[in-house]
Amino acid sequence: MSDSIALRARLKACPPGLAGWKEFEDVCIETLTHLLVPPLAAPKIQPRSYSQIDRRDAIFANRNHEGPGHWPHLYKELGARMVLFEFKNYDTSEVGKDEVNQTRNYLTQPMGRLAVLCVNKKPNHAAHVKRNTIFSEEKKVILFLTPDELIEMIAIKERGDDPADLIMDLVELFYMQHE
């Protein structure tokens, strides 16, 4: 329980922008690890592609290929073998289509078609339009997850339920809103 309290406080206190980017990334990774490991594997932090060109923020391996639960379902539906998390802690800038497009480019075929952008504020309209286009063209799903939603996931876990319920809710909401 004390871990949950500390994570909540850190998520709420993280300063936006350059001053808090590292703390935002660190607390998001710690929170996601607390919430999702297991059933997901511990994250690989800042892994690079073989050419060293691409550096992803965090990747959680999904080794849940069969059985009940959200992660086997997402594995089958979206090929979510490696679940990508990118972190954007902006101050005056908006999270827009460029950030969504960058995330899309990181989703290679072996990784699968599910990524989560952890953002300290809701993305702009162009970001939402871009992720719809990406889904229409490539069937890749990019979710937006805020600190408030991470805090809700902590509450879900404390109730004894699966925090991935919120991830599945976001996927389903995306499907309902897609046009």
PDB file of all heavy atoms in Angstrom, residues 91-112:
ATOM      1  N   ASP A  91       5.450  20.920 -21.370  1.00  0.00           N
ATOM      2  CA  ASP A  91       5.036  22.102 -20.618  1.00  0.00           C
ATOM      3  C   ASP A  91       4.161  22.966 -21.523  1.00  0.00           C
ATOM      4  O   ASP A  91       2.947  22.870 -21.518  1.00  0.00           O
ATOM      5  CB  ASP A  91       6.272  22.856 -20.122  1.00  0.00           C
ATOM      6  CG  ASP A  91       5.946  23.983 -19.172  1.00  0.00           C
ATOM      7  OD1 ASP A  91       4.766  24.151 -18.813  1.00  0.00           O
ATOM      8  OD2 ASP A  91       6.867  24.719 -18.788  1.00  0.00           O
ATOM      9  N   THR A  92       4.792  23.759 -22.375  1.00  0.00           N
ATOM     10  CA  THR A  92       4.027  24.650 -23.253  1.00  0.00           C
ATOM     11  C   THR A  92       3.681  23.987 -24.583  1.00  0.00           C
ATOM     12  O   THR A  92       2.684  24.341 -25.206  1.00  0.00           O
ATOM     13  CB  THR A  92       4.805  25.956 -23.512  1.00  0.00           C
ATOM     14  OG1 THR A  92       6.092  25.633 -24.033  1.00  0.00           O
ATOM     15  CG2 THR A  92       4.964  26.753 -22.223  1.00  0.00           C
ATOM     16  N   SER A  93       4.490  23.037 -25.026  1.00  0.00           N
ATOM     17  CA  SER A  93       4.215  22.332 -26.277  1.00  0.00           C
ATOM     18  C   SER A  93       3.044  21.372 -26.098  1.00  0.00           C
ATOM     19  O   SER A  93       2.765  20.914 -24.994  1.00  0.00           O
ATOM     20  CB  SER A  93       5.432  21.522 -26.723  1.00  0.00           C
ATOM     21  OG  SER A  93       6.534  22.347 -26.923  1.00  0.00           O
ATOM     22  N   GLU A  94       2.401  21.081 -27.215  1.00  0.00           N
ATOM     23  CA  GLU A  94       1.322  20.104 -27.209  1.00  0.00           C
ATOM     24  C   GLU A  94       1.827  18.764 -27.717  1.00  0.00           C
ATOM     25  O   GLU A  94       2.749  18.703 -28.532  1.00  0.00           O
ATOM     26  CB  GLU A  94       0.180  20.570 -28.109  1.00  0.00           C
ATOM     27  CG  GLU A  94      -0.553  21.785 -27.595  1.00  0.00           C
ATOM     28  CD  GLU A  94      -1.777  22.106 -28.438  1.00  0.00           C
ATOM     29  OE1 GLU A  94      -1.757  21.868 -29.664  1.00  0.00           O
ATOM     30  OE2 GLU A  94      -2.755  22.601 -27.858  1.00  0.00           O
ATOM     31  N   VAL A  95       1.211  17.705 -27.238  1.00  0.00           N
ATOM     32  CA  VAL A  95       1.451  16.379 -27.792  1.00  0.00           C
ATOM     33  C   VAL A  95       0.596  16.310 -29.044  1.00  0.00           C
ATOM     34  O   VAL A  95      -0.635  16.404 -28.966  1.00  0.00           O
ATOM     35  CB  VAL A  95       1.072  15.269 -26.795  1.00  0.00           C
ATOM     36  CG1 VAL A  95       1.242  13.902 -27.430  1.00  0.00           C
ATOM     37  CG2 VAL A  95       1.904  15.385 -25.524  1.00  0.00           C
ATOM     38  N   GLY A  96       1.253  16.182 -30.191  1.00  0.00           N
ATOM     39  CA  GLY A  96       0.535  16.247 -31.455  1.00  0.00           C
ATOM     40  C   GLY A  96       0.821  15.080 -32.372  1.00  0.00           C
ATOM     41  O   GLY A  96       1.274  14.018 -31.947  1.00  0.00           O
ATOM     42  N   LYS A  97       0.574  15.321 -33.659  1.00  0.00           N
ATOM     43  CA  LYS A  97       0.699  14.246 -34.639  1.00  0.00           C
ATOM     44  C   LYS A  97       2.127  13.740 -34.788  1.00  0.00           C
ATOM     45  O   LYS A  97       2.342  12.564 -35.090  1.00  0.00           O
ATOM     46  CB  LYS A  97       0.131  14.681 -35.989  1.00  0.00           C
ATOM     47  CG  LYS A  97       0.921  15.767 -36.684  1.00  0.00           C
ATOM     48  CD  LYS A  97       0.309  16.116 -38.021  1.00  0.00           C
ATOM     49  CE  LYS A  97       1.196  17.142 -38.711  1.00  0.00           C
ATOM     50  NZ  LYS A  97       0.758  17.436 -40.047  1.00  0.00           N
ATOM     51  N   ASP A  98       3.132  14.597 -34.586  1.00  0.00           N
ATOM     52  CA  ASP A  98       4.522  14.153 -34.725  1.00  0.00           C
ATOM     53  C   ASP A  98       4.882  13.100 -33.679  1.00  0.00           C
ATOM     54  O   ASP A  98       5.569  12.127 -33.982  1.00  0.00           O
ATOM     55  CB  ASP A  98       5.490  15.330 -34.632  1.00  0.00           C
ATOM     56  CG  ASP A  98       5.389  16.264 -35.836  1.00  0.00           C
ATOM     57  OD1 ASP A  98       4.879  15.832 -36.891  1.00  0.00           O
ATOM     58  OD2 ASP A  98       5.822  17.423 -35.710  1.00  0.00           O
ATOM     59  N   GLU A  99       4.414  13.293 -32.452  1.00  0.00           N
ATOM     60  CA  GLU A  99       4.681  12.320 -31.390  1.00  0.00           C
ATOM     61  C   GLU A  99       3.970  10.995 -31.675  1.00  0.00           C
ATOM     62  O   GLU A  99       4.528   9.916 -31.441  1.00  0.00           O
ATOM     63  CB  GLU A  99       4.250  12.890 -30.036  1.00  0.00           C
ATOM     64  CG  GLU A  99       5.116  14.039 -29.543  1.00  0.00           C
ATOM     65  CD  GLU A  99       4.860  15.381 -30.222  1.00  0.00           C
ATOM     66  OE1 GLU A  99       3.851  15.529 -30.956  1.00  0.00           O
ATOM     67  OE2 GLU A  99       5.676  16.299 -30.021  1.00  0.00           O
ATOM     68  N   VAL A 100       2.758  11.077 -32.190  1.00  0.00           N
ATOM     69  CA  VAL A 100       2.016   9.867 -32.549  1.00  0.00           C
ATOM     70  C   VAL A 100       2.716   9.150 -33.705  1.00  0.00           C
ATOM     71  O   VAL A 100       2.880   7.928 -33.691  1.00  0.00           O
ATOM     72  CB  VAL A 100       0.550  10.212 -32.895  1.00  0.00           C
ATOM     73  CG1 VAL A 100      -0.187   9.006 -33.459  1.00  0.00           C
ATOM     74  CG2 VAL A 100      -0.164  10.764 -31.675  1.00  0.00           C
ATOM     75  N   ASN A 101       3.163   9.905 -34.689  1.00  0.00           N
ATOM     76  CA  ASN A 101       3.833   9.309 -35.839  1.00  0.00           C
ATOM     77  C   ASN A 101       5.157   8.654 -35.429  1.00  0.00           C
ATOM     78  O   ASN A 101       5.510   7.581 -35.920  1.00  0.00           O
ATOM     79  CB  ASN A 101       4.054  10.352 -36.927  1.00  0.00           C
ATOM     80  CG  ASN A 101       4.281   9.715 -38.267  1.00  0.00           C
ATOM     81  OD1 ASN A 101       3.567   8.791 -38.656  1.00  0.00           O
ATOM     82  ND2 ASN A 101       5.292  10.179 -38.971  1.00  0.00           N
ATOM     83  N   GLN A 102       5.906   9.295 -34.547  1.00  0.00           N
ATOM     84  CA  GLN A 102       7.153   8.706 -34.053  1.00  0.00           C
ATOM     85  C   GLN A 102       6.863   7.360 -33.375  1.00  0.00           C
ATOM     86  O   GLN A 102       7.560   6.371 -33.622  1.00  0.00           O
ATOM     87  CB  GLN A 102       7.819   9.646 -33.054  1.00  0.00           C
ATOM     88  CG  GLN A 102       9.066   9.053 -32.406  1.00  0.00           C
ATOM     89  CD  GLN A 102       9.567   9.894 -31.248  1.00  0.00           C
ATOM     90  OE1 GLN A 102       8.777  10.526 -30.533  1.00  0.00           O
ATOM     91  NE2 GLN A 102      10.861   9.901 -31.058  1.00  0.00           N
ATOM     92  N   THR A 103       5.828   7.328 -32.556  1.00  0.00           N
ATOM     93  CA  THR A 103       5.456   6.090 -31.871  1.00  0.00           C
ATOM     94  C   THR A 103       5.063   5.025 -32.885  1.00  0.00           C
ATOM     95  O   THR A 103       5.474   3.867 -32.771  1.00  0.00           O
ATOM     96  CB  THR A 103       4.318   6.363 -30.875  1.00  0.00           C
ATOM     97  OG1 THR A 103       4.762   7.356 -29.941  1.00  0.00           O
ATOM     98  CG2 THR A 103       3.911   5.116 -30.136  1.00  0.00           C
ATOM     99  N   ARG A 104       4.296   5.404 -33.882  1.00  0.00           N
ATOM    100  CA  ARG A 104       3.905   4.471 -34.941  1.00  0.00           C
ATOM    101  C   ARG A 104       5.122   3.848 -35.623  1.00  0.00           C
ATOM    102  O   ARG A 104       5.150   2.654 -35.889  1.00  0.00           O
ATOM    103  CB  ARG A 104       3.076   5.205 -35.970  1.00  0.00           C
ATOM    104  CG  ARG A 104       2.997   4.465 -37.289  1.00  0.00           C
ATOM    105  CD  ARG A 104       3.335   5.357 -38.454  1.00  0.00           C
ATOM    106  NE  ARG A 104       2.468   5.116 -39.564  1.00  0.00           N
ATOM    107  CZ  ARG A 104       2.092   6.035 -40.417  1.00  0.00           C
ATOM    108  NH1 ARG A 104       2.477   7.268 -40.282  1.00  0.00           N
ATOM    109  NH2 ARG A 104       1.349   5.732 -41.440  1.00  0.00           N
ATOM    110  N   ASN A 105       6.144   4.648 -35.874  1.00  0.00           N
ATOM    111  CA  ASN A 105       7.337   4.145 -36.549  1.00  0.00           C
ATOM    112  C   ASN A 105       8.112   3.137 -35.703  1.00  0.00           C
ATOM    113  O   ASN A 105       8.837   2.313 -36.243  1.00  0.00           O
ATOM    114  CB  ASN A 105       8.245   5.302 -36.955  1.00  0.00           C
ATOM    115  CG  ASN A 105       7.636   6.135 -38.063  1.00  0.00           C
ATOM    116  OD1 ASN A 105       6.829   5.648 -38.854  1.00  0.00           O
ATOM    117  ND2 ASN A 105       7.996   7.399 -38.108  1.00  0.00           N
ATOM    118  N   TYR A 106       7.953   3.201 -34.400  1.00  0.00           N
ATOM    119  CA  TYR A 106       8.622   2.248 -33.510  1.00  0.00           C
ATOM    120  C   TYR A 106       7.934   0.889 -33.482  1.00  0.00           C
ATOM    121  O   TYR A 106       8.513  -0.095 -33.033  1.00  0.00           O
ATOM    122  CB  TYR A 106       8.670   2.795 -32.085  1.00  0.00           C
ATOM    123  CG  TYR A 106       9.601   3.952 -31.875  1.00  0.00           C
ATOM    124  CD1 TYR A 106       9.442   4.772 -30.767  1.00  0.00           C
ATOM    125  CD2 TYR A 106      10.646   4.250 -32.745  1.00  0.00           C
ATOM    126  CE1 TYR A 106      10.292   5.846 -30.532  1.00  0.00           C
ATOM    127  CE2 TYR A 106      11.493   5.316 -32.522  1.00  0.00           C
ATOM    128  CZ  TYR A 106      11.313   6.111 -31.416  1.00  0.00           C
ATOM    129  OH  TYR A 106      12.150   7.165 -31.180  1.00  0.00           O
ATOM    130  N   LEU A 107       6.685   0.839 -33.920  1.00  0.00           N
ATOM    131  CA  LEU A 107       5.928  -0.413 -33.896  1.00  0.00           C
ATOM    132  C   LEU A 107       6.254  -1.255 -35.121  1.00  0.00           C
ATOM    133  O   LEU A 107       5.570  -1.192 -36.128  1.00  0.00           O
ATOM    134  CB  LEU A 107       4.422  -0.125 -33.830  1.00  0.00           C
ATOM    135  CG  LEU A 107       3.876   0.350 -32.505  1.00  0.00           C
ATOM    136  CD1 LEU A 107       2.399   0.709 -32.633  1.00  0.00           C
ATOM    137  CD2 LEU A 107       4.085  -0.684 -31.426  1.00  0.00           C
ATOM    138  N   THR A 108       7.296  -2.032 -35.015  1.00  0.00           N
ATOM    139  CA  THR A 108       7.680  -2.926 -36.106  1.00  0.00           C
ATOM    140  C   THR A 108       6.832  -4.187 -36.059  1.00  0.00           C
ATOM    141  O   THR A 108       6.208  -4.494 -35.039  1.00  0.00           O
ATOM    142  CB  THR A 108       9.164  -3.294 -35.994  1.00  0.00           C
ATOM    143  OG1 THR A 108       9.372  -3.967 -34.747  1.00  0.00           O
ATOM    144  CG2 THR A 108      10.046  -2.054 -36.079  1.00  0.00           C
ATOM    145  N   GLN A 109       6.831  -4.935 -37.135  1.00  0.00           N
ATOM    146  CA  GLN A 109       6.007  -6.141 -37.225  1.00  0.00           C
ATOM    147  C   GLN A 109       6.290  -7.128 -36.086  1.00  0.00           C
ATOM    148  O   GLN A 109       5.340  -7.641 -35.491  1.00  0.00           O
ATOM    149  CB  GLN A 109       6.199  -6.791 -38.607  1.00  0.00           C
ATOM    150  CG  GLN A 109       5.182  -7.864 -38.930  1.00  0.00           C
ATOM    151  CD  GLN A 109       5.556  -9.220 -38.380  1.00  0.00           C
ATOM    152  OE1 GLN A 109       6.727  -9.547 -38.226  1.00  0.00           O
ATOM    153  NE2 GLN A 109       4.555 -10.014 -38.058  1.00  0.00           N
ATOM    154  N   PRO A 110       7.543  -7.409 -35.727  1.00  0.00           N
ATOM    155  CA  PRO A 110       7.759  -8.365 -34.632  1.00  0.00           C
ATOM    156  C   PRO A 110       7.244  -7.874 -33.272  1.00  0.00           C
ATOM    157  O   PRO A 110       6.917  -8.685 -32.408  1.00  0.00           O
ATOM    158  CB  PRO A 110       9.280  -8.529 -34.576  1.00  0.00           C
ATOM    159  CG  PRO A 110       9.790  -8.043 -35.885  1.00  0.00           C
ATOM    160  CD  PRO A 110       8.805  -7.022 -36.366  1.00  0.00           C
ATOM    161  N   MET A 111       7.175  -6.571 -33.079  1.00  0.00           N
ATOM    162  CA  MET A 111       6.709  -6.042 -31.796  1.00  0.00           C
ATOM    163  C   MET A 111       5.205  -6.155 -31.651  1.00  0.00           C
ATOM    164  O   MET A 111       4.702  -6.432 -30.584  1.00  0.00           O
ATOM    165  CB  MET A 111       7.131  -4.579 -31.633  1.00  0.00           C
ATOM    166  CG  MET A 111       8.610  -4.436 -31.384  1.00  0.00           C
ATOM    167  SD  MET A 111       9.089  -2.758 -31.031  1.00  0.00           S
ATOM    168  CE  MET A 111       8.135  -2.409 -29.572  1.00  0.00           C
ATOM    169  N   GLY A 112       4.494  -5.881 -32.715  1.00  0.00           N
ATOM    170  CA  GLY A 112       3.047  -5.891 -32.667  1.00  0.00           C
ATOM    171  C   GLY A 112       2.482  -4.519 -32.972  1.00  0.00           C
ATOM    172  O   GLY A 112       3.198  -3.608 -33.385  1.00  0.00           O
TER     173      GLY A 112
END
